[in-house]
Amino acid sequence: MNNIEKTKQLRKDVAPFAKSHLNKSIMQMVNTLLPLIILWTAAYLLVPVSVWASVGLSIVAAGFVVRTFIIFHDCTHGSFFKNKKATDIVGTLTGVLTLFSYEKWKREHAIHHATSSNLDKRGVGDIWVMTIDEYIAASKMERFKYRAYRNPLVMFGLGPLYLVLISSRFNRKDAKRKERMNTYLSNIIIVALATTLVMTAGWTAFLIVHGTTMFVAGALGIWLFYIQHTFEDSYFEEESEWDYVKAAIEGSSYYKLPLVLQWVTGNIGFHHVHHLSPRVPNYLLEEAHEKVPPLQKATTVTIKTSLESLRYKLYDPSHKAFVTFKSVQRLVDEHDRLSKNQEVPMKKAS
């Protein structure tokens, strides 16, 4: 069987799982949104009694915000409900709860899926990745920006604030009317809800509860997205050689998590299955992985090995692997030295 036939067979094997089940979708909404509302309510009530207890509940609530985001995420792919109107309504409302604009994120995420691991189409809906050659040839300021961006304190500390306060609040220049209107609607509802909470519970309680919840959830979300595409032998290729199936199976990891964390994260650890077939709802990703043997060949990442991935900063196309800044420092120094030596004769000649 050649590669084309293997690809067709793989898609055929996964197809039965690319169908939503109304009962399962409704049950997931109940066991996600109800606990989230209860946790938030309890956290607000506990603020006058014990700030630390309130913070603790807010952190637990962050896990349910991540799970709510998975519902939102499935809606953007049209995989949570068969009915489009129901999908758009639930997608917009869960977007409000997670502070993301539904139509905006849906379009950007669709671009991510269509270009994931494509070295010639980076920049929309993905994490900034530079190749070794690009980094060496970059200016010192550009290198500084990239190093800062890839610093864990910036990526997981400032990243959540940027996502929910800036990126998700403004439309892209090329956004069409439907997308713009949805972003405006989401912003209005978010401001109205935030204002109600502040007027009811006060600024302090709002920042303690919602500030903690959304920051922790944002950091967890960025971490999940990061580790699912940034591991040592992740697949990246130029447009001429890029392959959708390889990008899905070899460019997305299987993040093997303890059952509790797998539940909280809505099975998104089976990211290779999701990238191969985005129409598979989150509650069927594990079953597809287990019943379709080729999917089990994806790179498995554990919590321990995922922490090691923080070292990987640059992609080396020649060896098809991520490398550290330290491993290329000698090449950077040599490039800068040669560039400096070339500038000196030019200055003398002038």
Side-chain angles (χ1 to χ4, degrees):
M1 186 181 294
N2 58 38
N3 288 335
I4 295 178
E5 291 174 335
K6 287 181 179 179
T7 298
K8 288 182 178 180
Q9 185 61 48
L10 183 57
R11 288 178 178 275
K12 184 178 179 180
D13 291 342
V14 176
F17 303 97
K19 297 176 183 177
S20 63
H21 296 263
L22 183 60
N23 290 340
K24 290 184 179 181
S25 293
I26 292 175
M27 179 56 66
Q28 186 169 30
M29 289 182 65
V30 172
N31 64 33
T32 300
L33 301 182
L34 185 60
L36 175 60
I37 294 172
I38 292 173
L39 285 166
W40 267 338
T41 302
Y44 273 104
L45 293 174
L46 274 175
V47 171
V49 180
S50 172
V51 171
W52 289 112
S54 179
V55 169
L57 284 182
S58 298
I59 292 174
V60 176
F64 284 89
V65 169
V66 171
R67 189 166 164 81
T68 300
F69 181 83
I70 298 301
I71 295 175
F72 164 81
H73 171 256
D74 273 12
C75 287
T76 64
H77 285 293
S79 63
F80 202 67
F81 292 116
K82 293 178 182 177
N83 184 281
K84 186 179 184 303
K85 187 174 182 179
T87 297
D88 290 345
I89 292 173
V90 172
T92 298
L93 293 179
T94 50
V96 167
L97 291 175
T98 56
L99 303 184
F100 283 89
S101 299
Y102 174 66
E103 292 291 346
K104 179 180 187 295
W105 201 85
K106 179 168 72 171
R107 180 165 69 103
E108 292 177 354
H109 194 59
I111 294 173
H112 162 69
H113 270 262
T115 61
S116 180
S117 297
N118 190 323
L119 289 173
D120 293 321
K121 293 184 178 179
R122 288 166 286 170
V124 179
D126 53 18
I127 288 175
W128 187 10
V129 173
M130 290 184 79
T131 64
I132 292 177
D133 289 342
E134 289 170 344
Y135 181 74
I136 292 173
S139 66
K140 289 186 178 181
M141 178 54 70
E142 193 70 7
R143 289 181 203 156
F144 172 78
K145 290 178 181 178
Y146 185 72
R147 292 181 76 98
Y149 175 92
R150 303 287 294 201
N151 185 294
L153 293 178
V154 174
M155 184 174 288
F156 307 112
L158 297 180
L161 299 177
Y162 173 77
L163 277 179
V164 301
L165 297 179
I166 300 175
S167 177
S168 295
R169 307 280 66 83
F170 299 95
N171 287 303
R172 297 174 67 91
K173 291 182 179 179
D174 60 345
K176 294 183 178 179
R177 187 176 185 278
K178 182 180 180 181
E179 183 177 327
R180 290 182 181 278
M181 291 300 103
N182 182 263
T183 299
Y184 298 151
L185 175 63
S186 297
N187 288 344
I188 290 171
I189 297 175
I190 289 170
V191 170
L193 290 175
T195 301
T196 300
L197 288 171
V198 169
M199 292 179 66
T200 304
W203 270 106
T204 301
F206 178 74
L207 292 175
I208 289 173
V209 178
H210 259 78
T212 299
T213 298
M214 303 316 295
F215 178 80
V216 173
L220 289 173
I222 293 174
W223 168 254
L224 288 170
F225 191 81
Y226 173 86
I227 191 56
Q228 285 160 348
H229 295 286
T230 307
F231 47 95
E232 187 172 11
D233 58 349
S234 183
Y235 171 90
F236 277 85
E237 193 56 85
E238 295 178 353
E239 170 70 14
S240 60
E241 300 295 329
W242 183 82
D243 179 83
Y244 180 84
V245 174
K246 283 188 175 181
I249 305 300
E250 299 177 23
S252 303
S253 67
Y254 162 36
Y255 197 11
K256 190 174 184 178
L257 295 168
L259 290 179
V260 173
L261 293 181
Q262 181 183 318
W263 185 86
V264 168
T265 57
N267 294 318
I268 201 61
F270 297 94
H271 210 60
H272 57 301
V273 183
H274 170 65
H275 261 264
L276 178 66
S277 183
R279 294 304 294 267
V280 176
N282 72 86
Y283 45 75
L284 293 180
L285 291 173
E286 181 179 15
E287 186 178 355
H289 171 82
E290 295 295 337
K291 292 185 177 180
V292 182
L295 295 177
Q296 296 164 22
K297 296 179 181 179
T299 298
T300 300
V301 179
T302 63
I303 291 180
K304 180 182 178 181
T305 56
S306 69
L307 293 174
E308 295 172 358
S309 74
L310 289 172
R311 301 184 298 117
Y312 302 130
K313 310 293 186 179
L314 299 163
Y315 193 74
D316 181 359
S318 62
H319 291 90
K320 308 296 182 186
F322 272 98
V323 297
T324 65
F325 281 132
K326 185 177 180 180
S327 67
V328 301
Q329 190 57 50
R330 183 182 59 81
L331 296 175
V332 173
D333 292 340
E334 183 178 346
H335 174 272
D336 290 349
R337 179 177 57 80
L338 291 173
S339 297
K340 187 174 182 180
N341 289 340
Q342 289 175 355
E343 289 176 1
V344 172
M346 291 178 64
K347 287 182 179 179
K348 288 182 179 180
S350 62

